[in-house]
Amino acid sequence: MNLINNVIVPGEEVTSELKSKNDRKIILGPGLRRVADKVFTCNSGILRKKEPNTYWIDSHRKRYIPQRNEMVIGIIKNKQGDYFKVDIGSSEQALLSYLAFEGATKKNRVKLEIGDLVYAKLLTANRDMEPELVCINAQGKSSVMGVLSNDGYLFHCSIDLVRKMLNPKCPFDKLGKHFPYEITIGMNGRIWIKTHTIKTSIALSKAILTSEFLSFEEIQILCDRLGKQYYNS
Amino acid sequence: MKENLLSTCEKTFLLRAVTENVRLDNRQLNEYRKESIHFGTDWGSCLVTLGDTRVLAQVSCDIQAPKASKPNEGLLHVHVEMSPMAALHFESGRHSDISIQVNRLLEKCLKESKCVDLEALCIVAEEKVWNIRIDLNVMNYEGNLAGCCSIAAIAALAHFKHPDVTSTGEKIIIHSYAEKDPIPINLHHYPIIISYALFNDGKQILTDPIALEEKVADSLLLLSVNSYREICGIHLEGVALPSSNIVIKCSRNAVNIASHLVKQIKTALAEDIKNRSDISFAGLTESLNLDHIFSKAQEAFQIKLKRENTWSNNDENNTNNNTIINETDNEKKDENTDVDSSDESNIQYENELTEEDFKSNKYCVKSFMKNTAELMATNDDSIKMETKETNEISSDESDDIQVIQECKMSKVEEIELTCVIIIFIFLIPYYKQAFILKI
């Protein structure tokens, strides 16, 4: 039985399903785990394959499990020595160093209050350790990371919606042609948006949440309608 | 696990929105969420959902010795169980502040309002009485927990029947349900807790707040009201009220909501009795939407077409015009029933999704956008609503139907605009497939 694009429950062995062309290494994505020389599923969902050698499980989840190099939105919960304790929605709080900001030195510290939002990258995410965040890239530049202003709107969504939003085929970015807005999407199921009015923010957030169950064509229609409405208003 | 800290961003956004009389879920300030009441196959089992808040109630009974101070009265106990399933910061088995508070509120609401006829529960005075226990299991927490629990508790009590008992002088015989018809509990009235969140010194009063609104609000006002327009209890949390008028304003609104809810409970009970004669009666299974998996999301995107808010204006007039205000007895207050029948029209319980939509295996999502910021603030009576159903397109595939409704609000001077409703009804084949197989 072909399990690709089929429903999987945790604990199934899928070793025989995983094949790669030209003997390349198989890449296991979320939901798959290797035990000795066998591969088991550890999530329920749909087994997906991307040619030539990537496998993962698409599942609906709301809880975030930190993965290295993912971009997340965190809430500052505490200041502790040289670190901020940041809530990123995982079981453990993440650590963010004072010095992990662009241009930050021991004397020139970033001003962050408890409750503020940061957009950061996961530097380490091990199963048994606290995850660590940074707001700079390898060149020491902030690129897009850093503190998010408090006059936006933060809302929560499922992890699969985030993946969908970040899909390059997702037509939501074309909405920017119709009306200006800022958006920051964290892989931990948090989306921060900023528009001119509260009504537009709420409408946009609802549109995003609605799109969880829409196909890309339907999202396109939704975006067109939203844009048209914005012009009329 | 600790409760998640609220970010400053969420807090300020909510406050800004509330100041503009906008709510995050597009409800009006005085609008109650949609409730649903379902009964299980057992007597006294009831599932109530209020928006996303979901409570399962089960009433049970046993025979115990009465209290020495009240030898001829039955006993009534309320237990609220909050598991981490409802919200991450709830802990099962341990009494947290919030669970004790809800427990106490419900006891106040049910016991101290004397809605249950406890004397009828006496079997042998000073020796044996029925002990009624209400177990409330919070399954999901999304604000107004006490309100949802009170609906569940009172509906379950009204549904519950205890076995019949005959006394032969020395012995008492408890008859099984098959032997003799069980006896329902006598309820004098149906008290229901209605909660309000107060913002900006009581300038904005939000009915039935969601969890985020509850957290940010200055104060929470919980009124327990019955359908006879009587107040059975008041509870205030947070900062002190700036004026007593707020209580009156809220209680006016609360009595209307309470009478609506009691009506809903009674229709649900009547429905249940009707269903029980049916062989295929399935109890709580009926409350589940087996046709699709995203039933919860559907509710989240329901939209109300009517956008007129008269809460602040109308009620203010009412409070000013009425001289009944001096009856500010907080314990109990009777109001003339003719005071504000207009309020009734303000509360809307609309349900745009028809049963057909649910049953026809289709999933619908509605989303909308509206840009009428000044609408609620204005006193202008000339605000008019024109609801137009512009077009109804059926695409080639019979499964996909798009209904676009445009709802326009026109003001005399300028067309402020507008509410667009886009309804998508469609199928997601693979998700559905996924779900069926999982089941």
Side-chain angles (χ1 to χ4, degrees):
Chain A
M1 189 185 146
N2 187 17
L3 288 173
I4 308 286
N5 291 332
N6 232 323
V7 175
I8 292 278
V9 287
E12 267 182 69
E13 195 195 324
V14 289
T15 323
S16 55
E17 288 296 320
L18 312 181
K19 296 170 196 107
S20 73
K21 281 176 193 160
N22 316 331
D23 283 336
R24 281 165 76 174
K25 271 184 191 165
I26 289 171
I27 300 169
L28 299 181
L32 295 171
R33 187 180 290 176
R34 200 191 70 166
V35 181
D37 55 346
K38 285 174 181 169
V39 178
F40 291 96
T41 57
C42 50
N43 264 338
S44 52
I46 301 159
L47 184 66
R48 300 280 189 204
K49 181 187 183 183
K50 192 185 171 209
E51 290 298 338
N53 57 351
T54 314
Y55 292 86
W56 74 96
I57 290 178
D58 255 352
S59 58
H60 179 86
R61 67 163 62 227
K62 286 161 115 180
R63 201 102 184 99
Y64 178 64
I65 297 166
Q67 294 284 326
R68 206 172 155 250
N69 282 336
E70 279 187 348
M71 310 287 283
V72 291
I73 295 178
I75 304 169
I76 306 286
K77 288 204 107 173
N78 208 350
K79 295 174 188 176
Q80 210 176 61
D82 287 345
Y83 288 95
F84 293 110
K85 284 266 189 183
V86 186
D87 168 51
I88 55 167
S90 59
S91 56
E92 286 273 348
Q93 285 181 8
L95 290 174
L96 173 63
S97 166
Y98 273 101
L99 300 169
F101 291 88
E102 188 182 329
T105 55
K106 281 260 177 193
K107 277 184 183 166
N108 181 22
R109 285 185 167 184
V110 271
K111 273 192 184 148
L112 271 175
E113 295 300 319
I114 288 168
D116 281 352
L117 297 176
V118 283
Y119 187 51
K121 191 182 216 168
L122 277 157
L123 188 69
T124 55
N126 294 328
R127 205 184 296 168
D128 308 310
M129 283 166 68
E130 281 176 312
E132 202 181 328
L133 298 169
V134 281
C135 283
I136 40 172
N137 60 12
Q139 282 78 43
K141 295 278 177 262
S142 70
S143 59
V144 291
M145 292 170 281
V147 185
L148 297 172
S149 83
N150 278 337
D151 45 358
Y153 173 35
L154 178 82
F155 60 96
H156 304 253
C157 63
S158 67
I159 310 288
D160 33 332
L161 176 60
V162 168
R163 293 209 189 100
K164 190 171 180 177
M165 290 283 295
L166 291 170
N167 189 328
K169 285 179 202 151
C170 182
F172 247 110
D173 51 343
K174 297 191 183 83
L175 199 59
K177 274 191 275 179
H178 300 296
F179 63 88
Y181 69 92
E182 282 178 65
I183 187 162
T184 307
I185 303 170
M187 276 305 292
N188 54 347
R190 287 180 186 161
I191 299 179
W192 175 93
I193 50 174
K194 188 180 169 186
T195 61
H196 291 308
T197 63
I198 283 169
K199 300 258 176 174
T200 357
S201 294
I202 294 177
L204 184 61
S205 74
K206 287 280 177 263
I208 290 170
L209 289 172
T210 310
S211 65
E212 179 160 11
F213 311 116
L214 301 182
S215 69
F216 287 143
E217 295 83 52
E218 280 151 344
I219 296 176
Q220 184 65 58
I221 298 168
L222 180 80
C223 291
D224 290 347
R225 298 257 173 238
L226 264 177
K228 212 184 272 175
Q229 247 358 91
Y230 187 79
Y231 281 128
N232 291 342
S233 62
Chain B
M1 179 138 181
K2 261 190 178 170
E3 187 175 357
N4 269 349
L5 189 87
L6 213 57
S7 66
T8 328
C9 180
E10 284 166 283
K11 220 181 278 177
T12 47
F13 185 83
L14 182 75
L15 284 172
R16 266 164 61 210
V18 167
T19 320
E20 289 186 23
N21 291 341
V22 180
R23 285 177 89 163
L24 299 186
D25 49 4
N26 303 313
R27 272 187 293 159
Q28 293 178 24
L29 296 196
N30 64 338
E31 197 176 314
Y32 210 73
R33 280 177 292 183
K34 204 187 151 291
E35 76 290 325
S36 77
I37 302 158
H38 293 276
F39 293 103
T41 42
D42 273 356
W43 293 115
S45 118
C46 173
L47 178 71
V48 173
T49 56
L50 195 65
D52 284 346
T53 306
R54 185 181 281 253
V55 173
L56 180 70
Q58 174 69 57
V59 179
S60 53
C61 64
D62 61 335
I63 293 175
Q64 277 189 8
K67 277 185 193 164
S69 53
K70 286 167 185 168
N72 58 348
E73 279 187 14
L75 301 164
L76 182 72
H77 288 109
V78 186
H79 295 268
V80 182
E81 169 75 23
M82 293 178 177
S83 65
M85 183 169 81
L88 278 172
H89 58 277
F90 291 164
E91 272 176 73
S92 57
R94 241 181 51 187
H95 284 292
S96 58
D97 285 354
I98 181 164
S99 76
I100 291 168
Q101 194 192 11
V102 173
N103 224 338
R104 182 72 199 114
L105 272 168
L106 286 167
E107 275 185 3
K108 245 195 215 166
C109 172
L110 298 169
K111 266 168 122 173
E112 283 161 36
S113 74
K114 300 206 163 59
C115 69
V116 182
D117 184 6
L118 291 175
E119 286 178 17
L121 296 171
C122 175
I123 302 164
V124 182
E126 290 181 39
E127 276 175 36
K128 288 185 177 74
V129 291
W130 283 112
N131 169 38
I132 306 290
R133 180 190 162 106
I134 311 167
D135 281 292
L136 293 154
N137 232 309
V138 184
M139 296 166 87
N140 196 33
Y141 169 69
E142 192 49 64
N144 196 5
L145 189 55
C148 193
C149 284
S150 76
I151 300 172
I154 204 81
L157 272 177
H159 187 246
F160 182 66
K161 288 177 181 184
H162 64 80
D164 200 358
V165 167
T166 40
S167 177
T168 57
E170 286 159 19
K171 265 203 275 179
I172 58 159
I173 305 157
I174 304 169
H175 299 284
S176 71
Y177 285 2
E179 242 176 284
K180 265 189 173 181
D181 280 345
I183 303 163
I185 291 176
N186 259 347
L187 288 179
H188 298 305
H189 58 99
Y190 293 70
I192 282 165
I193 298 173
I194 316 279
S195 81
Y196 294 90
L198 276 65
F199 287 86
N200 304 336
D201 284 342
K203 271 188 211 116
Q204 272 89 21
I205 304 169
L206 271 57
T207 314
D208 188 16
I210 55 169
L212 183 63
E213 287 165 348
E214 274 184 357
K215 268 189 222 165
V216 181
D218 292 339
S219 46
L220 288 172
L221 181 65
L222 297 149
L223 294 166
S224 116
V225 186
N226 67 17
S227 56
Y228 304 115
R229 305 176 77 86
E230 292 170 328
I231 293 175
C232 311
I234 289 183
H235 177 81
L236 180 74
E237 237 180 285
V239 299
L241 288 180
S243 87
S244 56
N245 274 356
I246 290 167
V247 180
I248 294 167
K249 207 163 151 186
C250 290
S251 59
R252 269 185 223 295
N253 184 261
V255 286
N256 290 319
I257 297 171
S259 58
H260 167 84
L261 289 171
V262 170
K263 220 179 278 168
Q264 290 293 311
I265 292 172
K266 283 181 177 161
T267 39
L269 279 166
E271 185 104 326
D272 179 66
I273 290 166
K274 212 179 86 192
N275 285 344
R276 267 165 200 278
S277 55
D278 195 358
I279 298 165
S280 61
F281 174 65
L284 284 177
T285 324
E286 282 178 5
S287 67
L288 296 173
N289 238 328
L290 290 172
D291 285 347
H292 39 72
I293 44 176
F294 305 122
S295 55
K296 219 181 117 191
Q298 279 180 337
E299 278 160 28
F301 297 111
Q302 275 195 20
I303 351 141
K304 309 286 179 280
L305 286 175
K306 209 172 163 191
R307 276 286 143 205
E308 209 172 341
N309 188 312
T310 39
W311 156 263
S312 43
N313 309 329
N314 235 11
D315 253 0
E316 219 131 55
N317 295 341
N318 276 339
T319 15
N320 295 341
N321 297 342
N322 275 312
T323 43
I324 321 166
I325 302 165
N326 42 20
E327 285 187 21
T328 348
D329 187 0
N330 277 2
E331 291 302 316
K332 201 159 185 177
K333 187 159 63 86
D334 280 60
E335 283 175 34
N336 297 339
T337 34
D338 59 334
V339 178
D340 41 14
S341 54
S342 64
D343 263 8
E344 228 125 27
S345 61
N346 295 342
I347 313 158
Q348 299 149 37
Y349 299 90
E350 289 170 275
N351 183 10
E352 272 87 25
L353 292 177
T354 56
E355 280 297 305
E356 281 78 42
D357 286 343
F358 278 114
K359 282 180 184 154
S360 60
N361 233 356
K362 283 166 191 164
Y363 169 67
C364 17
V365 177
K366 302 175 176 187
S367 103
F368 88 84
M369 178 185 182
K370 69 185 174 64
N371 277 326
T372 53
E374 291 85 358
L375 182 71
M376 292 173 180
T378 173
N379 254 333
D380 201 346
D381 283 338
S382 56
I383 297 165
K384 224 168 51 180
M385 300 271 311
E386 292 163 28
T387 310
K388 283 193 254 169
E389 280 200 22
T390 44
N391 43 2
E392 197 164 310
I393 315 155
S394 309
S395 63
D396 295 337
E397 298 131 61
S398 60
D399 281 337
D400 285 4
I401 306 163
Q402 265 187 26
V403 183
I404 295 108
Q405 289 181 312
E406 279 196 12
C407 158
K408 284 202 170 179
M409 281 183 212
S410 55
K411 230 171 142 188
V412 172
E413 304 88 11
E414 49 189 310
I415 298 169
E416 248 333 319
L417 211 117
T418 303
C419 211
V420 169
I421 295 130
I422 308 159
I423 307 169
F424 291 103
I425 303 171
F426 65 98
L427 251 168
I428 311 169
Y430 78 82
Y431 269 115
K432 217 190 77 196
Q433 188 191 18
F435 186 66
I436 290 166
L437 279 170
K438 242 188 274 173
I439 277 184

